Amino acid sequence: MKMISPDFDNSSKTPLYIQLYDYLKSEITGGAIGSGEKLPSLRKLSRDLSISITTADLAYSQLAVEGYIYSVPQSGYYVSELNFGADHEITPPEKLIGHDTFTINKPAYRCDLSCFNFVKWKKCMAKVLNEYPEALLYESDPQGEEALRCEISKYVYSSRGVIASPDQIVIGAGTQQLTSHLCRIMKRMNIGLVSTEDPGYLPVQNIFRDHGFSLTKIPVTQDGINISKLPTNLASAVYVSPSNQFPTGSVMPVGRRYQLLKWATENKSYILEDDYDSELRYFGKPVPALQGLDKNSRVVYLGSFSSTLFPAIKISYMVLPEEMMNIWSDIKTDYTQTCSKTEQLTLALFMADGSYSTNIKKLRKLYSQKLQVALSAFNAYADGIVQPVNTQSGINILLKVRTKKDPIHLSELARSLGLNVIPTAELTDQDTSALIFYYNQIPLEEMDAAIENMINKWTE
Amino acid sequence: MKMISPDFDNSSKTPLYIQLYDYLKSEITGGAIGSGEKLPSLRKLSRDLSISITTADLAYSQLAVEGYIYSVPQSGYYVSELNFGADHEITPPEKLIGHDTFTINKPAYRCDLSCFNFVKWKKCMAKVLNEYPEALLYESDPQGEEALRCEISKYVYSSRGVIASPDQIVIGAGTQQLTSHLCRIMKRMNIGLVSTEDPGYLPVQNIFRDHGFSLTKIPVTQDGINISKLPTNLASAVYVSPSNQFPTGSVMPVGRRYQLLKWATENKSYILEDDYDSELRYFGKPVPALQGLDKNSRVVYLGSFSSTLFPAIKISYMVLPEEMMNIWSDIKTDYTQTCSKTEQLTLALFMADGSYSTNIKKLRKLYSQKLQVALSAFNAYADGIVQPVNTQSGINILLKVRTKKDPIHLSELARSLGLNVIPTAELTDQDTSALIFYYNQIPLEEMDAAIENMINKWTE
């Protein structure tokens, strides 16, 4: 056996036992000390190397814990059988080096925070950290913090006519996360088919697909989803956005809403109502949610804070009808809460003191001004070429552009100006390109010029 | 047609047009104004009720947007056909009332934050909010904030020997969330079978099951999972915790690690290495991660911050090998990031200034003291009755109790004292009850008495 002769560095901050451990490990993995060889006793090693027995013992024990060596009682330590080849040295990739800067990705304009009471938000967050530090000690309730669920319960009733006790509300980090929970619940109810709006909101469809659901696309008309094409004689679910359909912006009239509820009741099916952005209606009152009309517990209501607070907040919620709530109660402890507890409690305080309502009021005013200016600009610079469709709500408008250019090209031209414009193939035909235009992200004073520039690019 | 005669309340804060809208809506839904009936013209209504035409117009328009009435050009407004029964009145549930207090659920002791530098954490969070407010403007990268990925890359290399460029790291809100992403990736690789440790960590198994994977349980021995029982001639994955197996606390020796890597390489399979709690090893250095030994890109490494920071933080990460990373890059924009952006950036700052390393050092010292006191207490009060197993790492220890009482009963007795002790049926036999004891949650000065009380309850 090779001599054990580590080159100790007594000036190093690395403890001697670690130096000995490192040395022995590299001798073993390098093959200098072979499998099955017996190592010197602790007493001998300590004498040979002039180290304490404790140091030798610590090094051997660490090697033993990691399995490089093993001890045979009353006999000593032996090198283990290791099944690696000779070329097992690994060096860290170069990528690891040179990442010392603190960077945040900054796309072009994406959002307007001029209404957001940032000072208040920071105060609420400070209050949570200072006055409720014990909140950090425990994981969040899988269903979400009760304080926030109570605030949401009051808010959705007053603003959207949604009837939900705090016990029926489930909080999650985004609509996709909540949709995963819905998939788990629906599987246990033997629902395997989900109808979606065509065109509709794709990110949610990915989740249904991942969970093995069959998807069927139902065309959207001016009045929302075509109810007569929904599956019958079969328990299924339909994902709809009746108060502000994405991307057409259409609103389902109340008569159609009752028809949809009737379909759900008759077919023991469920309506998954995505109420995204519906607080932001600029003409009159917001259209109340479908959930509030439901007497037969057939509606799941989904809401979110990212358009009304700021995009980086990932807090969404859903209101479950009774049967689904019972199933959720049985399985909820299987799943951990994904929302930040600090942010959930911050939002609860922000809602409780009225800051959230104030924020929405200000947003409605600002966005309706922006919308006005945007519509005037399209009228002035693109009359007869660009037709804005369903322009009463939300943070985006659908544009129908009379052109032979395809919408992907138009979108790229707009993006080159820093504007967020998304092509919509489903609504595009030979003579018309359809695009979704996020007008809300453009500062009011830049709106007119931004649209003029975009139209110029498009008509060049 | 019934007279339109709303009872206007001029002293109310509700605008007149909303009062008119509410009145008309209730007349329509109550059946007093029937389907198909023509409403008075705007001019007539304004004259009859002594209101402005604008007020009448706003009320009609809102009813029209919601579909209660419709307009026929050059003719006027008509009541829509509504398909509801007579008894459609809905009142909010009583649950809605009386939820004005701001409450936080407080279980018995759950965690010890005495090492956590709360002041520093708050400073880092304030810095994010003050100096990087633009961070809130944009959604987080689906893969996680780059600043945090860079810090994690440096940290896992120095502390765990894990080789990961920031581009290979994916951040998510908890191990369950990351496991969902793994399911999506593996499905695209036609992997459908996952082997898990028996006994093992159940919350992750729920996710594989939800995504339709077949699960096969492989027994765990003193040296970790029994490799000879893993499936061969088939691409599959195995979920293991080699550095601190849950719940047995066993460590897989390095020779077995190479065997496991060989199995993965030969069978084109993957090792999902859950490295939970492995920073917390109280004897010598932490055992390096398996990932660092892998030359063939067969290992996914999973880590988390909840045991080393505080339980309420839901930030976890995984390191993907090349082939999986390529698939993830193709699909990642389909999924939104679930972690709080504010908390991700706060953690990046907390790591960058060394506070996180300091925290871990302090935790190791405190927890090793607690462990010492706990082991002495078991020795003093329950020698020959309670055997603590694999007590070198982590935040819990496995207890084997020589008793005829079943572990659920013992767990309840411990919980009645505020202690977090979980029964483990898989390791229990006729003469021995097995339980997982979270010693880390008990203050050092209360440890001895807490264990004495628990033993007294158990042996009464």
Side-chain angles (χ1 to χ4, degrees):
Chain A
M1 170 177 186
K2 186 176 172 297
M3 266 289 285
I4 293 186
S5 54
D7 203 5
F8 287 134
D9 176 359
N10 288 304
S11 67
S12 161
K13 278 205 283 185
T14 308
L16 269 191
Y17 89 89
I18 300 280
Q19 292 188 41
L20 178 57
Y21 156 88
D22 283 339
Y23 167 82
L24 287 169
K25 190 167 110 176
S26 88
E27 293 291 282
I28 292 167
T29 57
I33 311 178
S35 302
E37 279 195 59
K38 187 179 177 182
L39 292 173
S41 72
L42 291 174
R43 193 169 301 274
K44 181 171 188 313
L45 192 66
S46 91
R47 215 170 35 222
D48 289 356
L49 302 180
S50 309
I51 57 176
S52 72
I53 289 195
T54 310
T55 301
D57 190 16
L58 283 169
Y60 276 12
S61 301
Q62 181 71 23
L63 288 166
V65 165
E66 296 182 20
Y68 288 97
I69 64 175
Y70 59 95
S71 81
V72 177
Q74 343 272 249
S75 169
Y77 284 97
Y78 294 82
V79 176
S80 308
E81 189 74 48
L82 304 176
N83 294 306
F84 48 71
D87 59 337
H88 65 284
E89 281 303 313
I90 289 164
T91 44
E94 287 183 22
K95 285 278 189 181
L96 275 173
I97 294 130
H99 271 287
D100 280 305
T101 48
F102 187 72
T103 54
I104 294 175
N105 295 324
K106 289 186 206 175
Y109 4 74
R110 281 299 307 276
C111 174
D112 184 339
L113 281 197
S114 55
C115 294
F116 181 61
N117 192 336
F118 206 67
V119 173
K120 193 79 190 178
W121 180 259
K122 283 193 278 189
K123 274 192 187 155
C124 291
M125 192 167 267
K127 190 171 178 182
V128 169
L129 294 177
N130 291 325
E131 296 180 24
Y132 306 94
E134 68 273 29
L136 303 187
L137 291 171
Y138 318 113
E139 280 188 38
S140 181
D141 184 333
Q143 195 170 340
E145 290 302 298
E146 194 185 2
L148 179 56
R149 287 188 279 116
C150 291
E151 291 303 324
I152 290 173
S153 163
K154 288 183 278 186
Y155 169 72
V156 290
Y157 181 62
S158 66
S159 79
R160 309 287 306 121
V162 169
I163 293 157
S165 78
D167 297 342
Q168 276 176 279
I169 294 172
V170 178
I171 290 166
T175 307
Q176 288 193 331
Q177 181 65 30
L178 294 171
T179 304
S180 292
H181 289 325
L182 282 177
C183 289
R184 288 157 188 148
I185 294 167
M186 292 196 297
K187 269 193 193 164
R188 284 169 178 80
M189 301 171 89
N190 293 315
I191 293 175
L193 175 66
V194 177
S195 303
T196 59
E197 294 171 327
D198 181 25
Y201 185 59
L202 294 174
V204 160
Q205 298 179 19
N206 295 327
I207 305 296
F208 290 119
R209 188 196 58 213
D210 288 346
H211 282 262
F213 282 78
S214 303
L215 291 174
T216 171
K217 290 185 175 188
I218 308 287
V220 168
T221 68
Q222 180 58 27
D223 289 344
I225 201 163
N226 189 336
I227 297 168
S228 66
K229 304 223 164 150
L230 288 173
T232 51
N233 300 317
L234 169 75
S236 69
V238 59
Y239 194 94
V240 286
S241 44
S243 298
N244 185 20
Q245 205 273 333
F246 183 89
T248 63
S250 70
V251 176
M252 184 182 278
V254 69
R256 293 285 290 272
R257 292 178 185 226
Y258 281 110
Q259 275 178 34
L260 189 59
L261 287 166
K262 195 163 165 251
W263 165 84
T265 306
E266 285 176 358
N267 295 288
K268 296 191 170 53
S269 294
Y270 284 90
I271 300 161
L272 315 179
E273 177 182 21
D274 185 350
D275 204 34
Y276 180 67
D277 284 355
S278 298
E279 295 97 334
L280 299 175
R281 176 158 281 278
Y282 313 116
F283 175 78
K285 299 210 310 175
V287 183
L290 199 156
Q291 196 266 10
L293 301 175
D294 174 28
K295 286 175 303 168
N296 297 302
S297 297
R298 309 313 306 178
V299 178
V300 176
Y301 176 88
L302 292 139
S304 139
F305 292 98
S306 47
S307 312
T308 48
L309 280 177
F310 49 87
I313 197 161
K314 290 303 288 186
I315 300 184
S316 296
Y317 54 94
M318 62 179 173
V319 177
L320 293 177
E322 196 184 349
E323 193 182 352
M324 287 187 160
M325 196 60 224
N326 292 339
I327 294 173
W328 169 249
S329 298
D330 286 344
I331 63 171
K332 70 176 181 181
T333 52
D334 291 352
Y335 304 97
T336 59
Q337 175 57 245
T338 48
C339 278
S340 156
K341 191 166 181 179
T342 306
E343 278 186 353
Q344 286 184 66
L345 294 173
T346 301
L347 178 54
L349 288 176
F350 195 77
M351 294 178 88
D353 80 354
S355 300
Y356 182 63
S357 304
T358 308
N359 195 58
I360 291 206
K361 273 185 211 133
K362 284 191 191 163
L363 268 187
R364 264 195 215 125
K365 192 171 164 199
L366 174 67
Y367 286 4
S368 73
Q369 288 172 337
K370 286 189 178 186
L371 195 53
Q372 214 75 45
V373 174
L375 296 177
S376 304
F378 283 117
N379 198 42
Y381 307 118
D383 191 25
I385 300 166
V386 176
Q387 185 203 351
V389 181
N390 286 320
T391 54
Q392 304 199 328
S393 68
I395 58 175
N396 52 54
I397 47 185
L398 178 65
L399 300 180
K400 296 213 166 177
V401 187
R402 226 178 56 205
T403 181
K404 298 280 180 199
K405 291 178 182 155
D406 80 285
I408 294 169
H409 180 54
L410 296 182
S411 151
E412 280 162 2
L413 291 172
R415 281 171 178 272
S416 72
L417 298 168
L419 304 173
N420 190 10
V421 176
I422 292 170
T424 306
E426 298 92 331
L427 299 172
T428 293
D429 59 34
Q430 230 184 343
D431 304 311
T432 316
S433 266
L435 299 119
I436 302 160
F437 174 56
Y438 284 84
Y439 72 90
N440 71 315
Q441 299 166 358
I442 304 167
L444 186 58
E445 60 281 8
E446 296 176 30
M447 184 71 75
D448 187 82
I451 291 175
E452 187 179 10
N453 289 339
M454 181 171 75
I455 300 299
N456 287 341
K457 282 259 180 196
W458 285 357
T459 52
E460 246 167 24
Chain B
M1 168 176 185
K2 187 176 171 297
M3 267 290 287
I4 291 185
S5 53
D7 203 5
F8 287 133
D9 176 359
N10 288 304
S11 66
S12 161
K13 280 204 282 185
T14 308
L16 269 191
Y17 89 90
I18 299 279
Q19 292 188 42
L20 178 57
Y21 155 88
D22 283 338
Y23 166 82
L24 288 169
K25 190 166 110 175
S26 88
E27 294 290 281
I28 292 167
T29 57
I33 310 178
S35 302
E37 279 194 61
K38 187 179 177 184
L39 292 173
S41 71
L42 291 172
R43 193 168 298 275
K44 182 173 186 316
L45 192 67
S46 93
R47 215 168 37 219
D48 289 355
L49 303 180
S50 309
I51 55 175
S52 71
I53 288 194
T54 310
T55 300
D57 190 17
L58 282 169
Y60 276 11
S61 302
Q62 181 70 23
L63 288 166
V65 164
E66 296 182 19
Y68 288 97
I69 64 176
Y70 58 93
S71 79
V72 177
Q74 342 273 259
S75 170
Y77 284 96
Y78 294 82
V79 176
S80 308
E81 189 74 46
L82 304 176
N83 295 306
F84 47 71
D87 59 337
H88 65 283
E89 281 303 313
I90 289 165
T91 44
E94 288 184 21
K95 285 279 191 179
L96 275 172
I97 294 128
H99 273 286
D100 281 306
T101 49
F102 187 71
T103 53
I104 295 175
N105 296 324
K106 289 187 205 174
Y109 4 71
R110 281 299 307 275
C111 175
D112 184 340
L113 282 196
S114 55
C115 294
F116 180 61
N117 192 337
F118 205 68
V119 172
K120 192 79 189 179
W121 180 259
K122 282 192 280 189
K123 274 192 187 153
C124 290
M125 192 167 267
K127 190 170 178 184
V128 169
L129 294 177
N130 291 325
E131 295 180 22
Y132 306 94
E134 68 271 29
L136 303 187
L137 292 170
Y138 318 113
E139 280 188 40
S140 181
D141 184 335
Q143 195 170 340
E145 290 303 298
E146 194 185 1
L148 179 56
R149 287 188 280 115
C150 291
E151 291 303 323
I152 290 173
S153 163
K154 288 183 277 185
Y155 170 72
V156 290
Y157 181 62
S158 65
S159 79
R160 309 289 305 121
V162 169
I163 293 157
S165 78
D167 296 343
Q168 274 176 281
I169 294 172
V170 179
I171 290 166
T175 307
Q176 288 193 331
Q177 181 64 32
L178 293 171
T179 304
S180 292
H181 289 325
L182 281 177
C183 290
R184 289 158 187 147
I185 294 167
M186 293 196 297
K187 269 193 192 165
R188 286 169 176 80
M189 301 171 89
N190 293 316
I191 293 175
L193 175 66
V194 177
S195 303
T196 60
E197 295 171 326
D198 182 24
Y201 184 59
L202 294 175
V204 161
Q205 299 179 19
N206 295 326
I207 305 296
F208 290 118
R209 188 197 58 212
D210 288 347
H211 282 262
F213 282 77
S214 302
L215 291 174
T216 171
K217 289 185 176 188
I218 308 289
V220 168
T221 69
Q222 180 59 27
D223 289 343
I225 200 163
N226 189 334
I227 297 168
S228 65
K229 303 221 165 152
L230 289 173
T232 51
N233 301 316
L234 170 75
S236 71
V238 59
Y239 193 93
V240 286
S241 45
S243 300
N244 184 20
Q245 204 273 333
F246 184 88
T248 64
S250 69
V251 176
M252 183 182 279
V254 69
R256 294 285 290 272
R257 291 179 186 225
Y258 281 110
Q259 276 178 33
L260 189 59
L261 287 166
K262 196 164 165 249
W263 165 84
T265 306
E266 285 177 359
N267 295 289
K268 297 191 169 54
S269 294
Y270 283 90
I271 300 162
L272 315 179
E273 177 182 22
D274 185 350
D275 203 36
Y276 180 68
D277 283 356
S278 298
E279 296 97 334
L280 299 175
R281 175 159 281 278
Y282 312 117
F283 174 79
K285 298 209 312 174
V287 184
L290 199 157
Q291 196 264 10
L293 302 174
D294 174 27
K295 286 175 303 169
N296 298 303
S297 297
R298 310 311 307 178
V299 177
V300 176
Y301 177 88
L302 292 140
S304 140
F305 291 98
S306 47
S307 312
T308 48
L309 280 175
F310 49 86
I313 197 162
K314 290 303 288 185
I315 300 184
S316 296
Y317 54 95
M318 62 180 174
V319 178
L320 292 177
E322 196 183 350
E323 192 181 352
M324 287 188 161
M325 196 61 224
N326 293 339
I327 294 174
W328 169 249
S329 297
D330 286 345
I331 63 170
K332 70 177 182 180
T333 53
D334 291 353
Y335 304 97
T336 60
Q337 175 56 247
T338 48
C339 278
S340 156
K341 191 167 181 178
T342 306
E343 278 185 352
Q344 286 184 66
L345 295 172
T346 301
L347 179 54
L349 288 176
F350 195 77
M351 294 177 88
D353 81 354
S355 301
Y356 182 63
S357 304
T358 307
N359 195 58
I360 291 208
K361 273 184 212 133
K362 284 190 189 164
L363 268 188
R364 263 194 216 127
K365 191 170 165 203
L366 175 67
Y367 285 5
S368 72
Q369 288 172 336
K370 286 189 179 188
L371 196 52
Q372 213 75 44
V373 174
L375 295 176
S376 304
F378 283 118
N379 198 42
Y381 307 120
D383 191 26
I385 301 166
V386 175
Q387 186 204 349
V389 181
N390 286 320
T391 54
Q392 304 198 328
S393 68
I395 59 175
N396 52 53
I397 47 185
L398 178 64
L399 300 179
K400 295 212 166 178
V401 187
R402 226 177 56 206
T403 181
K404 298 281 180 198
K405 291 176 182 156
D406 78 283
I408 294 169
H409 180 53
L410 295 182
S411 150
E412 280 164 1
L413 291 172
R415 282 171 178 271
S416 73
L417 299 169
L419 303 173
N420 191 8
V421 177
I422 292 170
T424 307
E426 298 92 332
L427 299 173
T428 292
D429 59 34
Q430 230 185 344
D431 303 311
T432 316
S433 265
L435 297 119
I436 302 160
F437 174 56
Y438 284 84
Y439 73 91
N440 71 316
Q441 299 167 358
I442 303 167
L444 186 57
E445 59 282 8
E446 297 176 32
M447 184 72 74
D448 187 81
I451 290 175
E452 186 179 11
N453 289 338
M454 181 172 74
I455 300 298
N456 287 342
K457 282 259 182 197
W458 284 357
T459 52
E460 247 167 25

